[in-house]
Amino acid sequence: MYDFLCFVETKLDETDVISLPGFTCISQPRKQTFLRRLGGIAFCVKNNLSKFIKHIESNSDYIMWIQIEKCLTNTDENVMLGISYVPPFQSKYYNDEEMLNLEREITSVCSNNKYIYLTGDLNARTARLEDYTRADTFLSDMFDYDTETRSFFDKVSILENYNIPTDRASKDNKTNNTGRWLAEVCKNNNLFIVNGRVGKDKYEGAPTFKDKSVIDYTISTAECFSFIAGFEIIDLDPLFSDGHALISWSLHADNSKKFGNSDSQDECSHTNFTKFKWSDGTKQAFIEQFDLADVSDFKQNIDAMVPSLENVNASTKRISDMFDKAAKESLKPIKRTSHNRTFDKPWFGPACKAARKEYHKARRMYQSNKCIQYKNNLQTQSKNFKNVMIKYIHLYRIHKAKKLRNMQNKNPKAYWKYVNSINKNITQTKQPTLDQFYKHFRNINETINDDTAENTILNMQLNDTNEILNSHITCQEIKKCINNLKNAKSPGGDQILNEYLKSTKEIFLPVYETLFNKVFDSGILPTAWLEGSITPIYKNKGDSSDPVNYRPITILSCLGKVFTAVLNNRLTAFLDNSNILNENQAGFRKHYSTLDHSFVLSSLIEILKIKKTKTLLRIC
């Protein structure tokens, strides 16, 4: 539902690992040390949007900055998102110096950026204090300010142009020191409180904490109001909150491009396909989705096609679309399920299940009739469910600690294996950034041209080159490669499975033959065959933040690999027939194995050891 999630007062520290399926998470623990965990900020973004996000280091414990690239928001500048948590003014965790750091950072960011959003728990009660100033007309006329200077001092006019109320609504009638500080910060930096001005909260000013006070805010520059598509204060039951409401807001860009939508990425993005589950039971239904007349017409169109990158891309795109359409009609889509469910935990026993049942029962009753009685019942059952879980988590930890103490005395090997596994998980939490991965994988694939190196020319007699290498690609060659494809392999960007190719080979072989020969004769390869999705896999050794210690696994188009398999078979046959490869070359050759070389090398070493021993005996 949400593309971005902002959390404050997380109580996270450097050793904590955030695992939220489908999201990339960034956390900023407090730098100040206390006897107990407190504070902390975290930001989670959907994996497909993480490449547009950059964490900007902050000098303040009270705020975390996230930079959102302008290509995602479709703005003329990058967008800055600040997530903030300010402790209550009366608490021992409140720090005047940190408040000064926070104000300095806000001022610095506002002076260098046009689009800024601040959100979080500020513990500031502002009632309906003015958060803006108007340019003084008398002074403007006296100093003869131009239009640009006037607009800099008078941002309220921008709100009026967007039909945003100048005076915001608020059901909280009280103010505090932090609230007055916040109003002054807004005035000094041309920031405006969003609460009570837009969305469902317009003219409402709903409380954000225990139905009494407004202490959680979203604040932005005037220019950002044109992108705010919705704003809502949502009540949360005690299972998920200690009294705070959820601030939900969404953005769009230029009233056309939805912010955070996976379809609104840059021009390099692939088409989003739905992934389908293949089964032998649905094979026949999948095959029946294809009209032989349409496939025949498609083959004739490719045959008459003038080879160009645009035409070749269009042909491969149509193949993937035909497979995708057939899959939608005959196969079941793969549903993504979370493998990190709370209720699969070992401490979640019968008592927790019973409490959960009562909680869901109370929630359904409240949803059907939102009266005060059912609301109070929901709050009671939510608190009970949470307390039961806390109790059994505590008991589980005590039992686990006792078990570890016994293990330390009776089975030290198992104990240290477990401790090392914990340390290993902690050290792997810091991963390279997307930009570091990109630079590393780009550099290792660069070709270095050495002009000083002498070119080695291999003099050989090449026979039957045209017949073996350059002849027309036949259906038999393609069919042989398709038959060798393995099932249950990940597809490339075109989402064509090997199972699709194998089950429909008799239907599409003429299409593949015509397309492959057009590509082979022209040398124009489809873009989809050249693009791969790289997944970095940690090698379980070395620094986890160094991209060198990751193995890149690249997933390419299955149809493109059929084409390259045809070429590989031809090259292998040519090398074998021409006796170009030495008999001792065993790597990547059929019926050969590098294990043979390892065995020979090991045998030679043993022979030399024996000979050396016999020589020493004769000397003695």
Side-chain angles (χ1 to χ4, degrees), residues 18 90 94 114 119 206 228 243 253 265 281 319 362 385 452 489:
I18 306 175
Q90 302 87 352
Y94 183 91
K114 180 180 179 182
T119 192
I228 300 177
Q265 298 179 21
I319 293 174
F385 184 24
T452 61
K489 294 294 182 180

Side-chain angles (χ1 to χ4, degrees), residues 321-335:
D321 288 344
M322 291 172 73
F323 281 127
D324 186 59
K325 182 180 178 181
K328 287 179 179 177
E329 297 294 332
S330 59
L331 304 179
K332 293 182 179 180
I334 297 176
K335 295 181 180 179

Side-chain angles (χ1 to χ4, degrees), residues 7-11 28 30 36 38-42 60-64 82-89 91 93-95 98-99 102 118-124 178 181 215-216 242 244:
F7 301 95
V8 296
E9 206 170 358
T10 60
K11 300 182 181 179
Q28 179 177 295
R30 293 195 66 146
R36 59 188 291 266
L38 74 157
I41 302 169
S60 173
D61 276 346
Y62 291 171
I63 196 165
M64 179 168 89
I83 310 161
S84 181
Y85 171 69
V86 177
F89 179 73
S91 72
Y93 307 112
Y94 183 91
N95 188 302
E98 281 299 319
M99 290 298 290
L102 175 61
L118 301 176
T119 192
D121 177 8
L122 303 179
N123 278 298
T178 311
W181 168 86
I215 60 175
D216 306 284
D242 60 352
H244 288 270

Side-chain angles (χ1 to χ4, degrees), residues 550-565:
Y550 287 78
R551 181 178 292 105
I553 304 298
T554 306
I555 301 175
L556 298 169
S557 166
C558 293
L559 182 59
K561 286 192 283 188
V562 172
F563 177 76
T564 55

